[in-house]
């Protein structure tokens, strides 16, 4: 299984076009290379990815490589690069260091650009992958469309206020850019299903009509052992991998999103796709254990060296502002390379927030004081309302400007994001951090 490292060059053109989400149902979308999702990038650990982004939109854009351990300069935020203006190009160069399921999306005007379809998946294979009968990608999204199938643009105070407060959720649930598809599967086979949640705000509490499955992977690749489950929560930005099947010929069932109360209304049970099990085929699926080794970053108790408080407050202008440690667009303290980070993320607000750290994987130590169900490498984790999550992460030698934020895109835009610097050990007196364009403290 020795892999010769390759350089994979991909041209991505961000543009606006009309996209058929279902036969005869067009939306005026944005996407990469005229499709939603954008091309799936498949590569192997050790490969170098070169992406030439051409901006054919009427507005500036960037690409963030969600989950990839890129150098700070390639992170795609407006902190580390000038946004790519209409007609301009930019070249990203990234070495792929970790196997897993990742994704890419803009970090400019995200609430509009991602909602309209600018996102794509990245699958990085490692040297030791379990064998499945099929490897299926599910990029999930929800679009909020009006009666005429057009994106709504809330102009009135109340809808605008609500979208900012709750995040933008819509009723058109898409799998790989299509509305409620039917998926065929062979009887007797076991498939690997990789899920990406590319929605602005929707939580997908996944269920296979109650059928059991195995959770085998998270944001940063495989788990150590498969975890049997009948449902799995996937918050915006997160990935999860499941081993699904075998089923009997003639079976059919729905992949569903069960109601989940994140503090924005319970919602209802929704159908994501229909699965039809056809004629049987021999299976070659083999899972050998452990799937991989994940060394714990922390043994035993650990005292936090940072506290991150996710909160909201009333605003006369916009209804609500979202804050980190009391500030919109917070500037966090420097983090020295090599110093183990234990962060206590507290959420005294009345809504769940999916916390995303750029550029580094973390391990969840506890959720509301309890150890998590399994050890995994994560880059996004749900912080329950009125609760807390403790994480550990190790800043490896990639100094520069990084960020963390709520992955409900409207919350990030409304202030729930932070910028911080990873610094080389000696380099404590570095230049002041550039002031972010949308910094407007309300105090
Ligand atoms: Cu997927 Cu800063 O985000
Ligand atoms: Cu949030």
């Amino acid at each position: 299984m020795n892999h010769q490292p390759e350089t994979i060059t991909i041209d991505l053109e961000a543009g606006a076009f009309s996209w058929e989400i279902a036969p005869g149902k067009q939306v005026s979308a944005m996407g990469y290379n005229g499709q939603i999702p954008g091309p799936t990038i498949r590569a192997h650990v050790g490969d170098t990815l070169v992406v030439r982004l051409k901006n054919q939109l009427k507005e500036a854009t960037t690409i963030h490589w969600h989950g990839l351990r890129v150098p700070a300069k390639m992170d795609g935020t407006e902190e580390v690069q000038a946004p790519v203006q209409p007609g301009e190009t930019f070249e990203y160069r990234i070495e792929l260091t970790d196997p897993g399921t990742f994704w890419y999306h803009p970090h400019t005007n995200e609430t509009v650009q991602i909602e309209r379809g600018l996102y794509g998946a990245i699958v990085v294979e490692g040297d030791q992958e379990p064998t499945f009968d099929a490897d299926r990608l599910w990029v999930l999204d929800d679009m909020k469309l009006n009666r005429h199938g057009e994106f709504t643009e809330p102009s009135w105070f109340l809808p605008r206020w609500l979208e900012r407060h709750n995040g933008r959720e819509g009723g058109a649930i898409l799998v790989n850019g299509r509305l409620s598809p039917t998926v065929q599967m062979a009887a007797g086979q076991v498939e690997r299903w990789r899920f990406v949640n590319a929605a602005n705000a929707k939580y997908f509490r996944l269920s296979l009509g109650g059928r059991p499955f195995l959770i085998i992977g998270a944001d940063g690749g495989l788990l150590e052992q498969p975890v049997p489950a009948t449902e799995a929560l996937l918050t915006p930005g997160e990935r999860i991998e499941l081993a699904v099947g075998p089923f009997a010929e003639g079976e059919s069932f729905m992949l569903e999103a069960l109601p989940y109360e994140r503090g924005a209304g319970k919602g209802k049970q929704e159908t994501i796709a229909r699965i039809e099990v056809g004629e049987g085929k021999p299976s070659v699926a083999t899972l050998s254990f452990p799937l991989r080794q994940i060394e714990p970053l922390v043994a035993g108790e650990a005292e936090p060296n940072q506290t991150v408080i996710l909160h909201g407050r009333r605003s006369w202008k916009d209804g609500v502002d979202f804050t980190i440690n009391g500030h919109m667009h917070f500037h966090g303290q420097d983090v020295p390379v090599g110093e183990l980070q234990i962060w206590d993320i507290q959420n005294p607000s009345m809504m769940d927030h999916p916390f995303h750290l750029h550029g580094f994987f973390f391990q969840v130590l506890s959720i509301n004081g309890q150890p998590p169900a399994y050890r995994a490498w994560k880059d996004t984790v749900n912080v329950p309302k009125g609760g807390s999550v403790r994480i550990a992460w190790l800043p490896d030698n990639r100094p520069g400007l990084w960020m963390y934020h709520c992955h409900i895109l409207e919350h990030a835009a409304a202030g729930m994001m932070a910028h911080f610097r990873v610094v080389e050990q000696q380099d404590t007196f570095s230049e002041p951090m550039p002031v972010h364009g949308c910094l407007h403290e309300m105090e």
Side-chain angles (χ1 to χ4, degrees), residues 64-67 75 77 103 105-107 110 114 237 356-358 380 403-407 409 417:
H64 168 58
W65 308 94
H66 186 126
D75 195 40
T77 65
W103 65 300
H105 63 73
H107 229 291
E110 300 93 315
I114 300 179
H356 170 48
L357 174 65
H358 277 215
T380 308
M403 60 169 41
Y404 57 84
H405 57 85
C406 176
H407 219 287
L409 303 177
M417 66 153 61

Side-chain angles (χ1 to χ4, degrees), residues 352-354 406 408 411 416:
D352 288 18
H353 299 287
C406 176
I408 291 178
H411 290 180
M416 196 175 274

Side-chain angles (χ1 to χ4, degrees), residues 37-360:
T40 299
I41 300 175
R42 288 183 191 273
H44 195 281
V45 166
D47 291 347
T48 301
L49 183 63
V50 177
V51 176
R52 295 184 296 222
L53 166 67
K54 181 159 194 353
N55 184 6
Q56 300 284 43
L57 298 165
K58 290 204 178 83
E59 60 186 72
T61 193
T62 50
I63 301 183
H64 168 58
W65 308 94
H66 186 126
L68 296 184
R69 292 197 293 153
V70 299
K73 285 209 156 6
M74 293 288 127
D75 195 40
T77 65
E78 296 185 12
E79 299 272 277
V80 297
Q81 73 168 101
V84 185
Q85 298 301 325
E88 285 183 1
T89 58
F90 187 87
E91 187 174 289
Y92 294 93
R93 178 172 279 267
I94 296 163
E95 262 175 57
L96 299 168
T97 50
D98 306 279
T101 310
F102 307 99
W103 65 300
Y104 59 95
H105 63 73
H107 229 291
T108 300
N109 195 17
E110 300 93 315
T111 55
V112 172
Q113 294 187 7
I114 300 179
E115 164 72 351
R116 296 206 165 208
L118 280 160
Y119 55 76
I122 306 165
V123 174
V124 184
E125 297 256 333
D127 286 330
Q128 253 137 26
E129 297 284 347
T131 311
F132 286 95
D133 297 310
D135 193 324
R136 228 183 258 273
L137 189 61
W138 302 78
V139 183
L140 305 183
D141 188 13
D142 64 335
M143 285 180 172
K144 187 173 178 184
L145 306 170
N146 65 19
R147 219 169 308 133
H148 314 289
E150 281 309 317
F151 288 95
T152 61
E153 280 174 64
S155 49
W156 296 91
F157 181 77
L158 191 62
R160 197 157 39 82
W161 186 90
L162 268 176
E163 216 166 87
R164 184 177 170 99
H165 186 273
N166 290 349
R168 179 180 171 102
E169 280 194 42
I173 295 188
L174 304 186
V175 175
N176 303 328
R178 309 280 179 201
L179 212 52
S180 36
T182 298
V183 168
Q184 311 286 341
M185 194 175 159
Q189 293 206 323
V190 184
E191 298 190 351
R192 180 177 187 167
W193 288 7
R194 302 171 188 259
F195 287 89
V196 178
N197 184 348
N200 286 32
K202 187 174 178 60
Y203 280 44
F204 288 95
R205 191 178 143 217
L206 300 170
S207 151
L208 306 180
R211 284 163 175 74
F213 51 80
L214 298 173
I215 302 174
I216 57 163
D219 299 337
L222 295 166
L223 309 182
E224 297 183 286
Q225 303 288 343
V227 177
T230 52
E231 59 174 74
L233 183 66
L234 191 67
T235 72
E238 279 188 310
R239 284 85 64 216
I240 200 166
E241 299 186 17
L242 311 181
V244 172
F247 302 113
E249 185 175 345
E251 255 186 279
S252 77
F253 58 91
M254 301 297 182
L255 170 66
E256 294 155 328
L258 303 176
Y260 179 81
E261 176 56 271
R262 61 175 176 89
K266 198 165 168 50
K268 50 180 181 351
Q269 186 161 323
E270 288 159 299
T271 299
I272 301 170
R274 179 188 173 81
I275 320 295
E276 285 177 356
V277 185
E279 213 176 294
K281 280 195 192 149
S283 174
V284 295
T286 42
L287 283 171
S288 55
F289 308 121
L291 294 167
R292 66 119 49 116
Q293 218 77 310
I294 300 178
E295 293 304 326
L297 281 176
V298 179
E301 286 293 292
E303 276 312 301
N305 47 17
Q306 276 202 40
T307 303
V308 174
I309 303 172
L310 310 175
H311 212 349
R313 63 176 176 228
R314 218 163 282 188
S315 144
W316 293 115
K317 192 168 134 276
D318 299 306
V320 64
D321 289 336
F322 287 99
T323 59
I324 291 182
N325 294 351
H327 299 269
M328 299 173 75
H329 307 283
F330 179 61
H331 282 195
Q333 71 197 60
D334 288 359
V335 168
V337 165
E339 185 188 285
L340 180 68
Q341 298 296 301
I342 312 283
W343 289 11
D344 219 2
I345 308 161
Q346 300 175 0
N347 177 8
S349 82
M350 286 158 78
M351 258 188 280
D352 288 18
H353 299 287
F355 169 92
H356 170 48
L357 174 65
H358 277 215
F360 301 87

